[in-house]
Amino acid sequence: MKTIISARRKLTTAIAGLSAATLTFAAMGLQAEQTVNLGHTLSDSSHYSVGADAFKETLERLSDGEFKVAEHPSGSLGGERAMIEGLQIGTVDVVITSSGPLGNFVPESYVLDLPFLFADYEEARCVLDSEIGQDLLAKMGDHNLVGLAWSENGFRHMTNSKLQINSPEDAKGLKVRTMENKVHMAAFEQMGVHPTPMAFPEVFTALQQGTVDGQENPITVIVATKFWEVQDYLTLTGHVYSPAIVLGSPVLLEGLNEEQRSWFQQAADASAEATRDEVTRLEKDGVALLRGEGMTVTTDVDKAPFQKAVEPAYKVYTDQYGNEMLKRIRASSC
Ligand code: EAX
């Protein structure tokens, strides 16, 4: 009996020791190998992918391999709306997304989707880097998201398969895919086109099959998605600046210590900077590339009639969300 008890004790002690070791090992193992799943909708040659690479390089370097980043490009984790939902429940860790579906989650961000709000890249970047941008990032926290950094998609332009667009009248009656964003949809309705909201991963096929005649996106996206294969005409309307944002999942980020959290912040900042640099490069080289691929590009666009046509979208926005943010942006020194 004594022997049995003693054997049992030994066994229990051994198991206790083992589980402590296993736990320590597991904890170490978890730290050594934690994979961060980063999703975006664009191809692995896009400006978002350049940003994903910078995120990966920075986080893996700062954490000395404690975190590994797995990039999931081309909408392989779903469209932008689905990925934002994934962040909220913790099935995705980090997402680089346009502001397209963001207003559905964080209405405060709709202000950035107003047409012709920013005159140029310099102004848009300056506002997003100011306290206004920081306040908007902080708002993400009220909606179960972590706003890490303002990245960039670019000024959006119209493409279609029917005709060369020189004025809003030319666009009347076209079926144009828009993002799932009510401010954008209101603007296009004012222009007389039929806005058809759709998640980005479906757009290429919809254009190919003629479900829609056109779409609008920055040069960056038109290049990365090879839209020239399904669209003949591009008009540089620059009708709205399209910010991108690096968002994190609160499920992951709220469980991190301060140092780990700072690695994620630095990785997001490096990602945004690398993406902006790539946008700048493509703004210089993109049009020549698209012409080379056979697109008819209208560069000399009188923007005033477009601006006039979409102006009522401002009232649609302010009626619902007030004009406090808009006033702040207009009063900024940028
Ligand atoms: O974020 O949906 C869109 O048109 C976006 O510009 C694209 O997914 C990149």
Side-chain angles (χ1 to χ4, degrees), residues 41-42 48 80 97-98 153 156 177 179 200 216-217 221:
T41 51
L42 298 176
Y48 284 4
E80 294 183 332
T97 173
S98 71
N153 198 15
R156 303 179 78 90
R177 176 270 174 176
M179 299 200 286
F200 187 77
E216 44 82 55
N217 250 303
V221 178

Side-chain angles (χ1 to χ4, degrees), residues 91-162:
T91 53
V92 192
D93 300 315
V94 175
V95 169
I96 301 173
T97 173
S98 71
S99 64
L102 192 61
N104 295 302
F105 301 86
V106 186
E108 291 88 344
S109 75
Y110 272 132
V111 70
L112 300 174
D113 300 313
L114 286 164
F116 297 103
L117 178 64
F118 298 120
D120 51 30
Y121 279 101
E122 207 185 330
E123 186 188 356
R125 291 174 184 180
C126 173
V127 167
L128 291 173
D129 292 343
S130 74
E131 210 186 324
I132 299 174
Q134 288 307 308
D135 288 352
L136 283 170
L137 280 181
K139 285 273 179 238
M140 308 293 146
D142 299 342
H143 303 276
N144 202 22
L145 293 165
V146 182
L148 289 170
W150 286 112
S151 183
E152 191 163 75
N153 198 15
F155 277 91
R156 303 179 78 90
H157 309 294
M158 297 180 72
T159 73
N160 81 97
S161 58
K162 298 267 184 212

Side-chain angles (χ1 to χ4, degrees), residues 39-43 72-83 97-98 101 177-180 197-208 215 217 221 225 227:
H40 64 85
T41 51
L42 298 176
S43 76
H72 302 274
S74 305
S76 53
L77 298 181
E80 294 183 332
R81 176 198 276 264
M83 284 193 293
T97 173
S98 71
R177 176 270 174 176
T178 67
M179 299 200 286
E180 298 162 283
M198 195 183 289
F200 187 77
E202 295 159 34
V203 178
F204 192 93
T205 310
L207 293 167
Q208 195 169 38
Q215 64 88 47
N217 250 303
V221 178
T225 319
F227 276 144

